[in-house]
Amino acid sequence: MEIIRCRAAIVWKPGGSFSIEEVEVAPPKAKEVRIKMVATALCGTEMKMLKDKNLQHQHYPIIMGHEGAGIVESVGEGVSTVKAGDKVIALFLPQCGECTSCLNSADNLCIKFKQGETHLMSDGTSRFTCKGKPVYHFGNTSTFSEYTVMNEISVAKIDAAAPLEKVFLVSCGFSTGYGGAINTAKVTPGSTCAVFGLGGVGLSVIMGCKAAGATRIIAVDTNKDKFEKAKEVGATECINPQDYGKPIQEVLFDLTGDGVDFSFEVIGNPETVAAALASCRESHGVCVIIGLIVGVQLNISGHLFFSGRSLKGSVYGGWKGRDGASKLVSDYMAKKINLDALITHTLNLDKINEAVELMKTGKCIRCALLL
């Protein structure tokens, strides 16, 4: 196997924008897979990393991207679950199938997930070089490159007929939100839900609440432009906190009588987490944090927990990486779930900085980046 030269979007320094460069992608080593990416997208994680100093690290230059789908180009020694030509989903959350988490049916945080924090492959080296310099990996995936190398355990084989330009959403955004409602919160039929934040993940939470049988789904966002899409995917009503002269938790108690059964924070704002928890029913309300919160402390009154409320975290919607991705793609092919509504724009990878600006406007839910 030979080195492949291709284009990738590189961030050279903290706070920098994306730069389209020619990179060299080395062949896969043992238990690794080289993939020709077909579709990817900016997720909220990348958007935060581009502006939030708490999330910026010293691993630069770097090829970001953790939501994507492609076709296996070649495999390293010992790879047995995929072969060249297979369609696959890239996974930031691996599934080794051997650790205590993978062997626990109620757990999905594979121990190999931490490998992604090194921004290198398992052997401590990178498969990318640009202008003679090594380039760091990102999130076990690095999907903003025409070719990438990933560990076999971070790759999910999917239906050969699946349209990659749609199902790439299963790689992160859709699965995280939809599963957050179904698996983590375990939304019940007839319940009332509140969803704070109406980006791609928030809308996926709404879909999950609807699929679980919730009868009232209240969508909360300061951007009214997102309300139409929220109702399209299942919200029964939409409210803007800025329209009221009191805290949003009081508004939700007024609307519901005694709070919501399930609330979801899908923004990553510590203050919103406190409000979402306080919006829950006192006796048994469940609040799930889905938005990325790193490097800050939550300031929540202990009194909120006294009567029985609970606060939960969720990663990848509680799905086991490889099993969950394959199942959700099959569900899409069987028309059990709708991914199409979440893709509002499509651009080529070399327009990635335009995609960043689109995401900032709030008028773009997901911009598919085609490679």
Side-chain angles (χ1 to χ4, degrees), residues 191-211:
S191 60
T192 297
C193 302
V195 181
F196 292 73
L198 302 178
V201 180
L203 294 176
S204 301
V205 171
I206 291 173
M207 291 180 184
C209 292
K210 182 180 179 182

Side-chain angles (χ1 to χ4, degrees), residues 4-222:
I4 289 178
R5 287 176 175 80
C6 67
R7 294 181 312 153
I10 293 180
V11 178
W12 286 96
K13 60 183 181 180
S17 58
F18 291 100
S19 175
I20 302 297
E21 307 278 4
E22 182 180 88
V23 297
E24 293 83 43
V25 184
K29 294 188 179 180
K31 296 289 187 179
E32 295 176 359
V33 181
R34 189 161 60 182
I35 299 164
K36 183 184 189 303
M37 297 306 302
V38 173
T40 183
L42 287 154
C43 189
T45 302
E46 280 88 16
M47 295 300 294
K48 282 195 168 191
M49 284 193 69
L50 292 172
K51 68 175 184 178
D52 189 340
K53 287 184 170 60
N54 286 322
L55 289 172
Q56 288 169 2
H57 45 70
Q58 299 308 308
H59 298 99
Y60 290 89
I62 190 168
I63 296 174
M64 292 186 188
H66 68 281
E67 184 174 84
I71 298 167
V72 175
E73 178 271 335
S74 58
V75 300
E77 182 184 348
V79 171
S80 60
T81 57
V82 293
K83 63 184 185 306
D86 285 346
K87 286 186 177 180
V88 292
I89 296 288
L91 296 168
F92 72 91
L93 180 67
Q95 183 183 352
C96 73
E98 298 171 352
C99 69
T100 52
S101 292
C102 285
L103 295 174
N104 182 341
S105 62
D107 196 342
N108 72 328
L109 193 67
C110 175
I111 195 168
K112 296 293 178 69
F113 173 65
K114 295 283 186 183
Q115 174 64 40
E117 295 177 1
T118 69
H119 299 281
L120 295 167
M121 298 301 286
S122 303
D123 66 352
T125 65
S126 173
R127 301 293 169 269
F128 298 114
T129 54
C130 180
K131 300 175 181 176
K133 287 184 175 180
V135 179
Y136 285 103
H137 292 251
F138 176 76
N140 296 309
T141 48
S142 290
T143 59
F144 295 163
S145 175
E146 290 175 330
Y147 287 84
T148 188
V149 176
M150 296 169 50
N151 289 311
E152 179 184 16
I153 59 173
S154 292
V155 176
K157 181 179 177 179
I158 59 170
D159 189 323
L164 298 179
E165 71 280 5
K166 305 285 188 187
V167 300
F168 74 87
L169 283 166
V170 164
S171 181
C172 176
F174 175 78
S175 309
T176 296
Y178 188 77
I182 288 178
N183 299 328
T184 309
K186 294 181 169 56
V187 169
T188 52
S191 60
T192 297
C193 302
V195 181
F196 292 73
L198 302 178
V201 180
L203 294 176
S204 301
V205 171
I206 291 173
M207 291 180 184
C209 292
K210 182 180 179 182
T215 51
R216 195 170 180 189
I217 305 169
I218 304 167
V220 184
D221 202 293
T222 56

Side-chain angles (χ1 to χ4, degrees), residues 329-359:
V329 171
S330 295
D331 285 351
Y332 173 78
M333 298 302 287
K335 295 183 168 53
K336 293 179 182 177
I337 56 175
N338 173 23
L339 301 174
D340 303 36
L342 301 175
I343 302 169
T344 53
H345 297 75
T346 302
L347 293 171
N348 290 328
L349 181 68
D350 58 5
K351 305 286 189 189
I352 189 169
N353 287 313
E354 288 182 31
V356 171
E357 296 308 311
L358 276 171
M359 292 286 281

